[in-house]
Amino acid sequence: MKWKGRRQSSNVEDRRGQGGGSSRGIGGFSPMLLGPLIRILFSKVGLIIVGIFLIGSFLTGNNPLNIISQFIGGGQIQTENASPYQGTEKENELAEFSATILANTEDVWNSLLENYRNPTLVLFTGSVSSACGSATSATGPFYCPGDEKLYLDLSFFSDMERELNAPGDFAQAYVIAHEVGHHIQKIMGITAKIDRLRGTISETEYNKYSVRLELQADFLAGVWAHHSQEMTKMMESGDLEEALNAANAIGDDRLQKNASGRVVPDSFTHGTSAQRMRWFKKGFETGDISQGDTFNTNAL
């Protein structure tokens, strides 16, 4: 792909190195000091001392919290986060690539949909918290309708190449475009309709709807690729094959067979390899969003 030097999206949250659900503590400030500090501050003597500290901080330019913490025996309160996450050269390039692909999806879908709103891409390592709950890297890339954000651990791209034999930058772009496809389904109200079925039908029946939802996201990824190529000419020879190979690699039938040696169609949630390839290719060849109704066809 000819992606370098192109616009990168500003709708990216880089949470790499932070971990899911955890918050950075205040370095050097022990919680055991809170009790004495509160008692001091709210005593008559404490109020006088606080006044002295405030005057002193004004004259010296020091943080009054640091002065108070030193007074009661604590270390200096760190009011700033630790150093920014330092990724490897390859990982940082993947972050730039992902931001570039996200920007390209923004350009394409804003030109095709009047009510489109840009989602946010969250980059993380290990684990992450979202409006849909906590997740680990093992979950793989996912979209959360609750906060309209895409979540991606960049190590997934290495897993695609090493474990799924699905290398290539356009294969990686397909993954991002697929998650953006779920965002479009959220905007169109499709996701909410499927969610309302949860608990009202059997798990087997619900899985069938889930498959159609995923195949439509594949189709929308293909529509993106069609219009992206018309707008930017980023695709090069072999790129389409990379995306189709990735779609083939993450089909339910292939993943189940590789994992356990057996295939259980009733448990499919994303579609077979053939189905995923077919719907992505249909979106790419037609570029017509109206031809992606996977819910009212028998020919998946």
Side-chain angles (χ1 to χ4, degrees):
M1 290 186 70
K2 302 174 184 177
W3 65 271
K4 292 187 177 181
R6 298 181 184 271
R7 181 179 77 87
Q8 296 182 25
S9 175
S10 60
N11 298 306
V12 178
E13 291 181 18
D14 194 342
R15 300 189 202 169
R16 290 179 293 165
Q18 295 183 19
S22 63
S23 58
R24 294 185 182 276
I26 303 177
F29 187 74
S30 172
M32 294 180 64
L33 298 176
L34 288 175
L37 176 59
I38 292 173
R39 287 193 295 272
I40 290 174
L41 292 180
F42 285 92
S43 67
K44 290 182 179 179
V45 175
L47 292 176
I48 296 174
I49 293 174
V50 169
I52 295 173
F53 284 153
L54 291 176
I55 294 173
S57 67
F58 176 77
L59 295 175
T60 63
N62 290 325
N63 187 334
L65 292 177
N66 288 335
I67 299 176
I68 293 173
S69 69
Q70 291 169 1
F71 174 77
I72 62 175
Q76 188 177 60
I77 297 175
Q78 302 296 323
T79 57
E80 296 182 0
N81 287 336
S83 301
Y85 176 80
Q86 299 293 327
T88 64
E89 182 178 354
K90 180 178 180 181
E91 184 184 359
N92 290 335
E93 183 177 68
L94 285 174
E96 294 176 2
F97 168 81
S98 300
T100 302
I101 298 303
L102 183 65
N104 186 261
T105 65
E106 293 169 351
D107 294 339
V108 168
W109 289 113
N110 276 297
S111 71
L112 295 177
L113 301 176
E114 292 183 2
N115 63 335
Y116 189 72
R117 51 184 180 268
N118 298 331
T120 296
L121 172 63
V122 178
L123 302 178
F124 72 96
T125 52
S127 61
V128 70
S129 292
S130 73
C132 298
S134 299
T136 67
S137 301
T139 304
F142 68 95
Y143 171 74
C144 176
D147 53 24
E148 298 193 351
K149 294 180 180 181
L150 292 64
Y151 292 83
L152 171 65
D153 186 327
L154 295 170
S155 65
F156 179 76
F157 293 148
S158 297
D159 294 339
M160 284 178 61
E161 181 175 355
R162 183 178 62 255
E163 299 177 13
L164 301 177
N165 194 28
D169 48 12
F170 200 73
Q172 297 162 357
Y174 154 70
V175 170
I176 296 173
H178 172 90
E179 299 306 330
V180 172
H182 285 309
H183 177 60
I184 295 168
Q185 291 171 321
K186 159 68 185 298
I187 292 174
M188 292 182 167
I190 298 171
T191 306
K193 290 181 180 179
I194 301 305
D195 283 345
R196 284 194 291 269
L197 295 174
R198 193 185 299 272
T200 65
I201 57 178
S202 68
E203 182 178 354
T204 298
E205 286 300 312
Y206 185 82
N207 286 345
K208 293 179 180 179
Y209 282 100
S210 176
V211 166
R212 292 175 185 270
L213 192 73
E214 295 295 335
L215 293 179
Q216 187 177 64
D218 281 333
F219 171 82
L220 293 170
V223 172
W224 159 76
H226 173 97
H227 291 280
S228 172
Q229 183 63 0
E230 286 188 342
M231 294 169 62
T232 67
K233 305 298 182 186
M234 277 200 300
M235 291 178 64
E236 298 178 293
S237 175
D239 279 345
L240 177 60
E241 288 71 23
E242 287 180 1
L244 291 173
N245 180 53
N248 177 64
I250 55 180
D252 283 326
D253 53 343
R254 179 168 176 174
L255 291 175
Q256 287 186 0
K257 189 171 184 178
N258 289 342
S260 63
R262 56 194 293 265
V263 175
V264 185
D266 283 347
S267 66
F268 288 176
T269 57
H270 286 65
T272 67
S273 294
Q275 289 171 336
R276 303 200 69 168
M277 292 172 65
R278 183 183 308 125
W279 281 98
F280 175 83
K281 192 173 183 180
K282 182 176 182 179
F284 179 75
E285 291 178 344
T286 66
D288 183 358
I289 193 172
S290 68
Q291 296 194 39
D293 186 0
T294 57
F295 295 95
N296 292 296
T297 178
N298 293 323
L300 288 180

